[in-house]
Amino acid sequence: YVLDAGHGRVVVFDRDGGYITEFGASGSGDGEFDFGPGTVIANGLDLKGSIAVDDDGFIYVADMGNRRIQKFAP
């Protein structure tokens, strides 16, 4: 799982790096994310967010701009 904050999505790859799928979009609805304005700062872009996967495969996305954590089924 890769958090693509610049595009407001999560991209899923297999163990060998092959593309599987992606989900999410920029916004504030269910399944949408706001990772920041993407303005240029000294060392890159100003984007905030993170992703974690628990032992049961549930995916948690810290959606910083919307002040929430969204949980997705495996």
Side-chain angles (χ1 to χ4, degrees):
Y1 297 94
V2 175
L3 183 68
D4 181 2
H7 293 102
R9 66 183 178 180
V10 174
V11 184
V12 183
F13 298 93
D14 65 21
R15 291 180 185 260
D16 298 320
Y19 173 85
I20 296 176
T21 190
E22 61 189 65
F23 62 92
S26 294
S28 59
D30 290 343
E32 296 177 336
F33 309 108
D34 177 0
F35 297 120
T39 54
V40 177
I41 57 174
N43 296 320
L45 297 177
D46 183 20
L47 298 168
K48 298 173 181 72
S50 60
I51 187 167
V53 181
D54 70 15
D55 291 338
D56 295 321
F58 286 96
I59 305 152
Y60 300 85
V61 179
D63 181 6
M64 301 299 289
N66 291 314
R67 295 186 181 148
R68 63 186 177 185
I69 296 176
Q70 295 193 68
K71 180 180 177 182
F72 300 92

